[in-house]
Amino acid sequence: MIEYLSLKRITAMHQDEIQQAVRHVVESGWYLKGESVRQFEHDFSQYMGCRHCIGVANGLDALTLILRAYIEMGVMNEGDEVIVPANTYIASILAITENRLRPVLVEPRIDTFQIDDEKIEQAITERTRAVMIVNLYGHPAYTSKIGDICQRYGLALIEDCAQSHGLKRTAPLTSFPSASAFSFYPGKNLGALGDAGAVTTNDDVLADIVRALGNYGSSEKYVFRYKGRNSRMDEIQAAVLSVKLHYLDEDNKRRREIALFYQENINNETVNLPSREYCERSVHHIFPVLCQERDMLQQWLKEQGVMTMIHYPIPPHRQQCYSEWDNLRLPITERIHREELSLPCNQAMTDEEMEKVVAAVNGFYAK
């Protein structure tokens, strides 16, 4: 059986270093706001080419705290609008509504699955304050057109990078307010052994506020400037992430090799693959294919010993928690969520396994 993703196998690739790093934290007796977090924040900010990295509890908190910080800075107020791709994991949208901001959903391009930059400008109103782009599946969403729009309209640019560790910077951070949010959920390209997240930015004021908000609203012990929350990366997760960061580029290179092998060798007219250009640019947190007979294909692959996943079966505007969008029609997003199937694609896979995946997909014939 070829697992979709074996966290055990991925952890085993660097198990001795990880165990040593965890042991060091345990023996230190210091488990929060210590040297391991400071070291990871420094290393990750250097890796990303930005001035600030603030460790937080998870990726949703990273997004939520960025928006909350912009509210505290006066960049936006409750009721203002944030443009966001309709095709995304629901966390992107939860962060917006949690801050009592209004999400404005924009359709993606079918060839990249990313927000369509040709449709952003028509969604802008006098209440628009930010554009949130999502590097979904590990593919860059930023385009120069998006940057131009944000500059012309004075909009903050927020990147949801929960699935794109290793893309480095995809958007400039110097010409207008912007920040990026990361999740280090265990299944990510750079995954912890539990929940963790981070905010990266070049904005000194934003960084200070995000750090304070994640520490109960405090920058000085027992002094609370903001109504914050407890959202901090712990020392063990930081130590694990520091080990795995050293191997991120190598791991992503392997993911790309597998994706390109799929792109070159899967030959089934019922299965729509990403383009070669897509495969060359992505870090492949997810390798998505589209198939009108998606459920049949998934069952067939399971029978052949290949496990797959669906990202995601129900789009955000069809979720019960956003029932106010019941009448919204987003045909491109709905097609993606109806047809998308994710093939195994990770650094722990062997050549033999990726060849078996190709043979199994090529052997599928929809009835």
Side-chain angles (χ1 to χ4, degrees):
M1 179 69 68
I2 299 174
E3 296 180 76
Y4 175 74
L5 177 67
S6 172
L7 294 180
K8 185 175 181 179
R9 284 174 63 182
I10 287 176
T11 302
M13 294 172 71
H14 313 297
Q15 185 163 326
D16 291 344
E17 290 179 75
I18 289 172
Q19 288 179 338
Q20 183 178 350
V22 171
R23 187 180 304 114
H24 176 76
V25 172
V26 172
E27 292 175 352
S28 76
W30 196 290
Y31 308 130
L32 283 170
K33 299 180 68 175
E35 182 56 38
S36 293
V37 169
R38 285 192 292 271
Q39 186 64 53
F40 176 72
E41 289 178 339
H42 172 270
D43 292 348
F44 196 64
S45 65
Q46 292 291 303
Y47 178 84
M48 293 301 300
C50 59
R51 287 202 299 271
H52 302 285
C53 171
I54 305 98
V56 297
N58 54 67
L60 175 57
D61 277 5
L63 287 169
T64 303
L65 293 174
I66 289 170
L67 291 167
R68 173 69 184 284
Y70 278 135
I71 291 173
E72 295 290 351
M73 293 166 65
V75 172
M76 56 186 74
N77 297 289
E78 290 185 8
D80 284 341
E81 296 173 352
V82 178
I83 291 173
V84 64
N87 178 43
T88 185
Y89 184 59
I90 201 167
S92 311
I93 296 169
L94 287 173
I96 298 170
T97 57
E98 183 172 336
N99 280 288
R100 297 183 181 178
L101 300 166
R102 180 174 175 265
V104 177
L105 305 183
V106 172
E107 285 267 63
R109 288 177 47 171
I110 194 65
D111 58 335
T112 65
F113 306 105
Q114 311 305 315
I115 192 169
D116 189 339
D117 59 9
E118 295 292 334
K119 297 178 179 178
I120 291 176
E121 197 162 8
Q122 66 195 45
I124 294 174
T125 73
E126 61 182 13
R127 297 303 301 271
T128 306
R129 297 293 179 267
V131 176
M132 181 184 291
I133 57 176
V134 182
N135 300 323
L136 199 68
Y137 309 149
H139 192 73
Y142 177 80
T143 66
S144 59
K145 185 177 181 67
I146 292 175
D148 291 343
I149 290 171
C150 288
Q151 286 185 305
R152 279 192 287 115
Y153 288 90
L155 305 177
L157 178 64
I158 302 165
E159 279 189 301
D160 182 341
C161 298
Q163 300 183 2
S164 61
H165 312 79
L167 275 181
K168 303 291 178 70
R169 284 246 41 86
T170 63
L173 285 172
T174 55
S175 54
F176 46 84
S178 85
S180 301
F182 291 85
S183 165
F184 302 115
Y185 181 78
K188 306 296 186 182
N189 292 37
L190 180 60
L193 298 186
D195 274 321
V199 172
T200 60
T201 184
N202 274 342
D203 188 319
D204 299 339
V205 175
L206 178 74
D208 288 344
I209 295 175
V210 167
R211 190 176 295 280
L213 287 170
N215 186 41
Y216 298 98
S218 172
S219 298
E220 179 184 352
K221 194 168 185 177
Y222 300 133
V223 178
F224 302 94
R225 183 174 181 180
Y226 311 104
K227 297 176 182 177
R229 65 170 65 187
N230 178 8
S231 181
R232 300 175 296 201
M233 180 185 293
D234 70 64
E235 290 288 289
I236 288 178
Q237 304 309 332
V240 171
L241 290 168
S242 289
V243 170
K244 297 177 77 173
L245 180 60
H246 293 299
Y247 301 99
L248 179 57
D249 288 343
E250 179 183 334
D251 290 345
N252 285 341
K253 180 181 177 182
R254 177 57 177 167
R255 287 173 176 261
R256 191 172 290 114
E257 288 173 354
I258 296 169
L260 285 167
F261 185 82
Y262 288 165
Q263 205 278 331
E264 293 168 0
N265 292 280
I266 292 176
N267 183 18
N268 188 318
E269 62 182 12
T270 69
V271 179
N272 294 315
L273 300 171
S275 68
R276 182 174 182 85
E277 180 186 7
Y278 177 102
C279 292
E280 289 174 343
R281 296 185 64 203
S282 178
V283 294
H284 298 287
H285 173 60
I286 291 166
F287 186 87
V289 301
L290 298 180
C291 179
Q292 291 184 7
E293 302 293 344
R294 189 262 310 280
D295 295 343
M296 290 177 60
L297 174 60
Q298 184 175 46
Q299 181 59 35
W300 163 263
L301 292 176
K302 182 178 179 181
E303 292 169 359
Q304 307 311 305
V306 176
M307 303 307 294
T308 59
M309 289 191 66
I310 297 171
H311 295 92
Y312 302 93
I314 306 173
H317 70 284
R318 289 284 178 264
Q319 297 288 350
Q320 185 175 351
C321 61
Y322 290 113
S323 58
E324 63 269 28
W325 290 333
D326 279 350
N327 295 325
L328 200 58
R329 296 293 176 263
L330 297 166
I332 299 174
T333 295
E334 290 161 15
R335 177 190 168 191
I336 292 170
H337 288 249
R338 186 171 60 247
E339 297 184 6
E340 193 277 339
L341 187 68
S342 304
L343 303 182
C345 183
N346 62 80
Q347 64 269 28
M349 290 183 68
T350 65
D351 288 352
E352 181 182 11
E353 287 174 327
M354 70 179 185
E355 290 167 0
K356 287 182 177 179
V357 172
V358 168
V361 176
N362 285 342
F364 171 73
Y365 293 95
K367 297 177 181 178

